[in-house]
Amino acid sequence: MSVVGNSGYRVLIYSHDTFGLGHLRRCRTIAHALVSRRDDVSVLILSGSPIIGSFEFRSRVDFVRIPGVIKLSNGEYTSLNLNIDVDQILEMRESIIKHTADVFNPDIFIVDKEPLGLRGEVESTLRMLSERRTRLVMGLRDVMDDPAHLREEWDRKQCVPALADLYDEIWVYGLQEICNPLAGIDLPPGVEEKMAYTGYLPRTATRRPSPEHGALGLEEPYYLVTTGGGGDGVNMVDWVISAYETDPTIAVPSLVVLGPFMPPADQKSFMDRAEKIDKLSVITFDANVEMLMDKSAGVIAMGGYNTFCEILSFDKPAVIIPRTVPRLEQYVRASAAEKLGLVKMLTEENGRDPRQMADALHGLISQAKPSHVTVPNLMGGLDRIGDLVDRWLPPQMAAE
């Protein structure tokens, strides 16, 4: 244990963040929950997100920004901002991660989604901390991908042995009734016994929207249209705007949050189209999207993990339009949730007919809320994580 005197316990969280906001927001939620529950815990987040500085962090939570990379369409990676060879970037990232872990000397190390990190960049850190008897945790969202794709990807990355050899526990931020994220993978003996299903991670809305939103008519009932990071949200936004263009009788206006990673040309095109429609307001990004969702009358979203948690937390009727490439993650989650009666789902299987989206928007205001379905332990994730941490880190006696 790294505890000396009253310095408290230390938790290190790694998030590779090559795309979107999901990994960062999940890690931030866990960090904030831990420091809220325990006044003897500090949390440091390692992240490659280029916009991590746009978020606020509570006392005893901080971050180290590692150089960003982005995945190309051919599956290769390149530097996000620096004109440096990707191998050098990855070498820098690995060095920063290991050095930070060496000095911070955590009691618990939580790795988000990638067992060995991006291109194996966390493996040397895991082995170093394992020798120090740091508790090593693999954190998985409820759905990773369809089993065939995940099995091929993890075989290629040689991830499975790490689950058996390095990690003490595997936390699944969901319910087995909805999905087993490792279904279809040939797991070594003992790995399944390490898995703990926590339930989903509840969210709260404690901040006001940014000041510039005062002119958007948010006092009126409105739908929130959110793409998450926005890098793959163009089709969904186009579909929603097309519905308003086609059917002026849609009664409830929408606030569309494009996402910071949507291509600028698409952002401008959508803003130009929305300017001609009284019932549409468009913004690029709000770090406090939870407040926008909390005040909304319903949600239209792609169905990433964080958005799904927010929909359940704020008990909002929702229409999910899941992406199906490069992963089926959102489709698997939305399908399972629709079967339980938690949300409704639309797909682009038959194209993006504006009338189909308009019908969904007409019906959303009277659609049943998720709370009309009882699912035991659905939103117990943060309490469960706190209990798991407490088993390893006994609360310290207050200094006299």
Side-chain angles (χ1 to χ4, degrees):
M1 295 294 181
S2 65
V3 178
V4 178
N6 62 356
S7 63
Y9 295 113
R10 302 176 183 183
V11 177
L12 182 65
I13 303 178
Y14 161 85
S15 175
H16 70 290
D17 291 302
T18 60
F19 186 72
L21 299 172
H23 307 295
L24 168 61
R25 295 186 64 220
R26 180 165 57 247
C27 294
R28 176 174 172 265
T29 297
I30 292 170
H32 284 182
L34 290 177
V35 299
S36 294
R37 178 180 173 119
R38 301 272 299 261
D39 59 9
D40 60 350
V41 170
S42 295
V43 183
L44 185 64
I45 300 173
L46 287 158
S47 172
S49 172
I51 63 168
I52 190 170
S54 300
F55 292 88
E56 292 187 355
F57 292 87
R58 294 182 180 175
S59 176
R60 290 181 287 115
V61 178
D62 209 338
F63 66 89
V64 172
R65 165 86 202 286
I66 54 179
V69 296
I70 191 168
K71 194 172 186 177
L72 303 174
S73 58
N74 63 2
E76 296 298 316
Y77 290 95
T78 188
S79 171
L80 182 62
N81 292 314
L82 301 175
N83 187 22
I84 296 177
D85 181 79
V86 67
D87 290 332
Q88 291 180 298
I89 287 287
L90 292 169
E91 186 177 346
M92 288 171 57
R93 285 170 57 105
E94 180 176 1
S95 177
I96 293 169
I97 292 166
K98 187 173 183 180
H99 182 70
T100 300
D102 183 28
V103 176
F104 188 61
N105 195 22
D107 301 286
I108 298 176
F109 183 32
I110 303 172
V111 175
D112 187 70
K113 182 184 175 290
E114 293 284 347
L116 294 174
L118 177 65
R119 291 273 193 90
E121 66 185 1
V122 176
E123 182 174 4
S124 61
T125 299
L126 285 167
R127 296 192 181 281
M128 175 187 72
L129 294 179
S130 178
E131 292 179 359
R132 300 183 186 183
R133 298 190 178 278
T134 299
R135 296 291 189 174
L136 305 179
V137 176
M138 178 77 254
L140 299 177
R141 63 183 181 226
D142 58 340
V143 183
M144 296 292 287
D145 201 348
D146 71 289
H149 283 126
L150 184 63
R151 182 168 56 249
E152 186 276 330
E153 177 186 346
W154 277 23
D155 283 348
R156 185 179 72 252
K157 295 179 177 179
Q158 299 181 322
C159 291
V160 174
L163 300 181
D165 301 337
L166 293 175
Y167 285 100
D168 296 293
E169 284 193 356
I170 301 166
W171 296 349
V172 180
Y173 308 130
L175 292 180
Q176 194 166 11
E177 295 90 329
I178 291 182
C179 187
N180 173 356
L182 300 184
I185 292 182
D186 186 15
L187 297 174
V191 170
E192 286 192 47
E193 287 73 15
K194 296 180 180 182
M195 295 177 68
Y197 289 85
T198 67
Y200 290 92
L201 309 181
R203 308 304 164 91
T204 58
T206 57
R207 294 280 320 259
R208 296 179 180 177
S210 300
E212 62 267 25
H213 299 163
L216 295 177
L218 297 185
E219 298 305 316
E220 305 288 335
Y222 66 92
Y223 296 143
L224 178 68
V225 182
T226 175
T227 65
D232 51 5
V234 170
N235 286 353
M236 188 193 77
V237 173
D238 174 71
W239 202 358
V240 171
I241 293 179
S242 295
Y244 280 93
E245 290 171 334
T246 301
D247 185 355
T249 70
I250 298 172
V252 180
S254 283
L255 169 62
V256 183
V257 184
L258 299 175
F261 302 123
M262 181 175 286
D266 291 308
Q267 291 182 0
K268 183 178 186 307
S269 173
F270 289 141
M271 288 179 175
D272 290 344
R273 289 167 63 186
E275 279 185 3
K276 302 172 185 176
I277 302 171
D278 290 338
K279 292 177 180 175
L280 283 179
S281 299
V282 178
I283 61 175
T284 301
F285 174 63
D286 191 319
N288 299 310
V289 71
E290 295 93 343
M291 181 60 74
L292 299 178
M293 185 177 293
D294 187 36
K295 291 183 175 295
S296 74
V299 178
I300 301 95
M302 294 179 62
Y305 179 84
N306 289 284
T307 302
F308 184 62
C309 287
E310 289 157 1
I311 288 167
L312 299 180
S313 297
F314 302 123
D315 197 25
K316 299 299 177 180
V319 176
I320 303 296
I321 301 95
R323 73 181 185 197
T324 55
V325 291
R327 298 182 183 277
L328 286 173
E329 167 223 340
Q330 294 185 1
Y331 180 83
V332 172
R333 178 181 300 112
S335 298
E338 185 177 50
K339 288 178 182 177
L340 288 173
L342 296 170
V343 301
K344 289 191 176 180
M345 180 175 71
L346 283 183
T347 68
E348 300 180 31
E349 185 177 4
N350 298 314
R352 299 195 300 275
D353 184 345
R355 292 167 298 182
Q356 185 184 22
M357 178 61 74
D359 289 342
L361 292 167
H362 280 295
L364 184 57
I365 194 70
S366 58
Q367 182 178 313
K369 296 181 178 181
S371 59
H372 87 286
V373 179
T374 300
V375 181
N377 302 317
L378 182 65
M379 301 305 296
L382 294 177
D383 286 339
R384 176 66 172 142
I385 289 171
D387 291 342
L388 292 168
V389 168
D390 287 348
R391 288 190 302 114
W392 287 343
L393 308 181
Q396 295 176 281
M397 297 294 293
E400 295 184 3

